[in-house]
Amino acid sequence: MMGSPLVMPSVDSIRHSRPETEHRKSVILLRWLMIIMAAYLMVFRYLPTTKITFAVMFVAAFALTNIVLTVLSSRKYSSSKLQRALLVTDVLVVSATFFLLRAPDTYIYLGFLVVFVMAAIWREFMVLLFSLVIVSLLYGVCSAFRLFDFGVLGTVEQFLTLALFFVVSVYYLFFSDRILNDAKLTEALMEEKRRADVMFEITRSISSSLNTKEVLYLIVTRLSEVFGARDCSIVRVDAQTRTAKMLVKSAEPALPETNIDLEQHPELLKAFDTQEIVFVPGPRGGSTQSVVAVPMRVKNSVLGLIYLRLNQNWLRISEGDDRFFRVMSATAANALRNAEMFEEMQHSARTDFLTGLPNHRSFQATLSTELGRAQRHNHPLSLLIIDLDFLKEVNDKFGHPAGDTVIRAIAETIFKGCREFDVAARYGGEEFTVILPETPLEDAIGVADRIREMISECDFPGVGTITASIGVSNFPVNALGKEDLIRVADQALYVAKNNGRNRVEHFEYQLITR
């Protein structure tokens, strides 16, 4: 029903290539390296002892945590809660590994453990350099104690075992943190690019399409995709009456314009009154989703509102989301304002400025359309041409402002005298027309006579009463084409004028003479 001028990759395809996926693979590989190193060192440490079974079970448990990471979904893995749990797990497992790799009755492993915890908390490159310095110092201390024959720190081989696992575990911390930061930065850049593509697509659509509803529908569908929303809609608000009408909704492409009660949507009412973005988070753990109401501002007024219902329960909206909402609301507001201006221009082009009725050009177009429909379906169509009697005398005696007042009042009277499906127009000067679709000649004469009586009953202060003469034509009784309808009605009007005015005239046959 509504097309978009550009073809973009789907949001799902973009999300499936999120950098968090690559980050998880890299972190899992680094953890496997740490697990393999722990397994290798423990096997050599406990192989000659009876504790080898316990060591194998410990390494298997360590490996199981990595297997769990492998099967987790990307969304769960990237959550902050799981990242904190992973850090705690790594600290506990590495601490236990240091303890198991220590030499009996020695405490050199505590130095490595303290530095590892520092690296886990701060994760800076300087901490890595500091770690290497600590390893070197501890090695020097160990060598000095051995030189003086103190064995409480264990052998050099035992020290190097601890140092090797320490270096691997600290570098795992550092590089996993760097990979996570790079993944977040890449994701942020991808999101900005995706939003820039959306804005470019919508801007291009606005500049190339006069179909405002199509542009607005494009905006709500793209907003729904960007934020994974349940639905998104645009509501138009009349500032004077404070009434609202839903123009488009992403979940229902064929939705007709629907009136809504702002009082039933306090978030919309607040956004309209404050002219600021209103975010309402859903309750924690509840089924209600978060909602966002964004005012569409033009200068100091609000034309409408963007209403977004999210699939997820957000706790807040980020600065980037806030900026994007403001840009999109300004774009939607401009599209809506352009539509209003275009409608106003079209209305001015079709409407007589004095009476508010359709003008001569609009009358001609409507008559062509209605006659074409009547010819296709073989239905009757009638036309009235109404001329005000002696209006020139009113202008000469009371002035043109008084004449304009009479014309406006009679235009309103003619409009009231028409049925709902009839079309009244100002033909020019003191002449009016009424198109009567699906109306036989006899019924058209009755409508004309009713309008004539309503006009004659009008009393204009300072002027008095005005009468009207009306000519009637009909397809197919006395006219077959548009020119025939106008010509026959005009000639019938001429007969009404010659027969004393304030009357309705018609022909019972097809008029051939021109």
Side-chain angles (χ1 to χ4, degrees):
M1 173 181 152
M2 296 182 187
S4 56
L6 297 178
V7 178
M8 295 176 60
S10 67
V11 175
D12 288 339
S13 67
I14 294 176
R15 286 179 176 166
H16 288 159
S17 61
R18 290 167 68 102
E20 278 88 346
T21 303
E22 299 301 322
H23 162 255
R24 179 171 62 168
K25 291 179 181 178
S26 300
V27 170
I28 289 173
L29 286 175
L30 286 172
R31 290 186 95 249
W32 278 125
L33 176 62
M34 192 166 58
I35 292 168
I36 291 171
M37 182 60 65
Y40 176 77
L41 295 175
M42 282 193 179
V43 166
F44 279 92
R45 172 75 176 80
Y46 290 101
L47 188 59
T49 69
T50 57
K51 296 181 180 180
I52 183 64
T53 302
F54 172 77
V56 171
M57 292 177 62
F58 176 80
V59 173
F62 194 4
L64 182 62
T65 63
N66 223 30
I67 295 173
V68 172
L69 287 181
T70 305
V71 300
L72 279 178
S73 65
S74 298
R75 177 180 295 179
K76 290 183 179 179
Y77 174 78
S78 59
S79 67
S80 57
K81 288 184 179 179
L82 188 134
Q83 293 298 319
R84 288 195 293 269
L86 179 62
L87 176 61
V88 172
T89 302
D90 288 339
V91 170
L92 292 176
V93 171
V94 170
S95 300
T97 304
F98 278 133
F99 179 79
L100 293 174
L101 291 177
R102 81 194 193 289
D105 302 321
T106 63
Y107 300 96
I108 188 68
Y109 76 95
L110 291 176
F112 292 110
L113 182 57
V114 169
V115 178
F116 175 79
V117 173
M118 290 173 59
I121 295 174
W122 286 292
R123 299 201 186 191
E124 297 292 338
F125 186 69
M126 294 303 296
V127 175
L128 284 179
L129 296 179
F130 178 67
S131 304
L132 295 177
V133 172
I134 292 297
V135 171
S136 301
L137 288 176
L138 289 176
Y139 181 73
V141 170
C142 182
S143 299
F145 271 79
R146 281 185 53 78
L147 184 64
F148 293 102
D149 203 22
F150 290 102
V152 293
L153 297 178
T155 65
V156 174
E157 290 78 10
Q158 292 166 339
F159 171 80
L160 291 178
T161 297
L162 289 170
L164 182 59
F165 182 72
F166 169 78
V167 171
V168 172
S169 60
V170 170
Y171 269 86
Y172 155 71
L173 284 178
F174 176 75
F175 284 113
S176 64
D177 186 61
R178 296 282 77 76
I179 293 169
L180 177 60
N181 290 336
D182 290 344
K184 290 181 178 179
L185 178 60
T186 304
E187 170 65 14
L189 292 174
M190 288 177 62
E191 185 68 16
E192 289 297 322
K193 180 183 182 302
R194 187 154 57 93
R195 294 182 179 186
D197 289 342
V198 170
M199 286 187 285
F200 173 76
E201 178 188 18
I202 292 171
T203 303
R204 181 174 175 180
S205 177
I206 291 174
S207 62
S208 61
S209 174
L210 293 177
N211 189 332
T212 305
K213 193 157 187 177
E214 181 180 274
V215 174
L216 295 179
Y217 182 74
L218 176 65
I219 290 174
V220 296
T221 52
R222 290 300 181 258
L223 278 173
S224 294
E225 291 174 0
V226 167
F227 292 101
R230 182 179 177 184
D231 65 59
C232 180
S233 54
I234 288 180
V235 177
R236 189 174 189 172
V237 182
D238 188 320
Q240 294 182 344
T241 62
R242 293 177 70 85
T243 57
K245 184 175 293 186
M246 185 178 293
L247 301 182
V248 290
K249 187 175 182 180
S250 61
E252 300 179 47
L255 178 73
E257 294 186 2
T258 308
N259 293 325
I260 64 172
D261 185 2
L262 286 179
E263 299 295 337
Q264 300 297 322
H265 300 275
E267 60 278 3
L268 291 178
L269 195 58
K270 184 178 179 181
F272 178 75
D273 289 335
T274 63
Q275 299 190 12
E276 293 294 337
I277 296 174
V278 174
F279 171 69
V280 182
R284 290 179 177 270
S287 59
T288 305
Q289 295 86 3
S290 305
V291 298
V292 184
V294 186
M296 295 159 47
R297 296 177 54 187
V298 173
K299 295 183 179 179
N300 293 324
S301 62
V302 176
L303 289 182
L305 300 158
I306 297 176
Y307 188 45
L308 200 69
R309 292 197 298 169
L310 305 172
N311 267 327
Q312 303 175 31
N313 186 8
W314 289 12
L315 298 179
R316 64 183 182 86
I317 55 176
S318 66
E319 292 183 6
D321 294 335
D322 185 272
R323 287 194 303 272
F324 185 66
F325 279 135
R326 293 183 187 277
V327 171
M328 294 303 295
S329 65
T331 303
N334 287 330
L336 201 56
R337 181 58 184 146
N338 291 340
E340 288 182 346
M341 294 175 64
F342 184 68
E343 289 173 3
E344 289 172 2
M345 291 176 60
Q346 283 192 318
H347 180 73
S348 298
R350 297 191 305 261
T351 306
D352 175 61
F353 75 95
L354 181 61
T355 63
L357 295 178
N359 57 21
H360 183 91
R361 180 180 180 182
S362 180
F363 157 73
Q364 293 282 354
T366 304
L367 183 59
S368 296
T369 302
E370 292 297 338
L371 180 60
R373 184 181 293 113
Q375 291 171 336
R376 285 194 302 274
H377 300 288
N378 196 27
H379 289 166
L381 173 72
S382 295
L383 174 67
L384 312 183
I385 296 184
I386 306 168
D387 184 81
L388 304 184
D389 300 328
F390 304 114
L391 184 66
K392 184 177 182 303
E393 295 181 5
V394 173
N395 290 328
D396 293 340
K397 186 175 181 179
F398 301 102
H400 285 281
D404 290 345
T405 302
V406 170
I407 288 175
R408 279 195 295 268
I410 290 180
E412 184 176 351
T413 301
I414 292 173
F415 181 79
K416 290 180 179 178
C418 294
R419 298 163 301 181
E420 185 178 355
F421 51 86
D422 297 335
V423 181
R426 188 180 182 191
Y427 194 65
E430 63 267 23
E431 289 188 331
F432 297 87
T433 60
V434 178
I435 302 172
L436 306 173
E438 301 189 17
T439 305
L441 181 59
E442 184 178 351
D443 292 346
I445 294 170
V447 173
D449 207 48
R450 182 176 70 247
I451 291 175
R452 182 193 61 77
E453 289 181 359
M454 291 175 65
I455 293 173
S456 65
E457 291 172 357
C458 293
D459 187 18
F460 303 99
V463 175
T465 59
I466 294 290
T467 61
S469 302
I470 304 176
V472 183
S473 62
N474 176 268
F475 167 85
V477 173
N478 52 34
L480 297 179
K482 185 177 77 170
E483 291 77 12
D484 288 342
L485 276 169
I486 297 172
R487 177 177 57 82
V488 171
D490 192 57
Q491 292 192 3
L493 174 63
Y494 180 77
V495 172
K497 290 283 189 180
N498 285 341
N499 289 342
R501 293 183 170 85
N502 191 22
R503 59 188 299 119
V504 175
E505 293 289 351
H506 68 282
F507 298 103
E508 295 286 354
Y509 52 88
Q510 186 173 345
L511 196 65
I512 304 299
T513 58
R514 295 180 179 272

